Amino acid sequence: MINQFGKAQWTGDMKGHGTITTKSGTVEAPYSVGARFEGQKGTNPEELIGAAHAGCYTMFLAIVLSQHGHTVEDLQTTSTVTLDPAQQPPVITKIAVSVQGKVTGGNITPEDFQKHADFAKANCPVSKALGAVGEMTLEAKLS
């Protein structure tokens, strides 16, 4: 088993602020209600979920493609996490994944790439953990 963790520290009430850090120490970022809902500088949980999801998905897709005899030259993934603050309490309603890949070898077609991209969306560990989100879409393009 592998145990990883993130930490959060918070000072004050709803208008307070805090710091999010990771076990490795490579991420140490300020966060606040203003950063989450008002576009102020700093990070927020949804942005971090998107980054974690994009990272996991991309790594998983690269492995799947490689296992099928393809050479991954480049994968670019964005995972956009939508938070609806009008719902009480606020709810993450959608995650939209977009991946563009430059892949060679094994005579890969756009249909093959889509099939592997769909498999990665359904099976990467973070996608599975985010299964409670009502909608998760995927746009996959082979360049």
Side-chain angles (χ1 to χ4, degrees), residues 7-129:
K7 286 180 151 183
Q9 172 277 327
W10 189 264
T11 303
D13 60 13
M14 188 173 125
K15 291 295 183 178
H17 58 87
T19 304
I20 294 176
T21 57
T22 57
K23 174 183 170 184
S24 66
T26 57
V27 174
E28 183 173 336
Y31 78 116
S32 66
V33 170
R36 191 173 196 183
F37 297 107
E38 300 165 5
Q40 294 177 6
K41 188 172 180 168
T43 193
N44 59 71
E46 292 73 33
E47 177 180 74
L48 294 169
I49 289 168
H53 187 218
C56 182
Y57 173 84
T58 305
M59 185 184 296
F60 194 86
L61 178 57
I63 292 166
V64 168
L65 289 164
S66 297
Q67 288 173 338
H68 285 87
H70 306 296
T71 302
V72 176
E73 293 187 30
D74 186 61
L75 295 173
Q76 298 286 326
T77 305
T78 302
S79 177
T80 303
V81 177
T82 301
L83 177 71
D84 182 355
Q87 294 190 39
Q88 291 302 317
V91 174
I92 294 174
T93 58
K94 180 179 180 180
I95 298 174
V97 181
S98 175
V99 62
Q100 184 159 351
K102 185 173 182 186
V103 181
T104 59
N107 296 320
I108 190 165
T109 66
E111 293 79 21
D112 290 333
F113 185 71
Q114 183 70 52
K115 178 182 72 171
H116 296 312
D118 286 336
F119 180 83
K121 179 177 95 48
N123 292 286
C124 94
V126 174
S127 285
K128 285 185 171 189

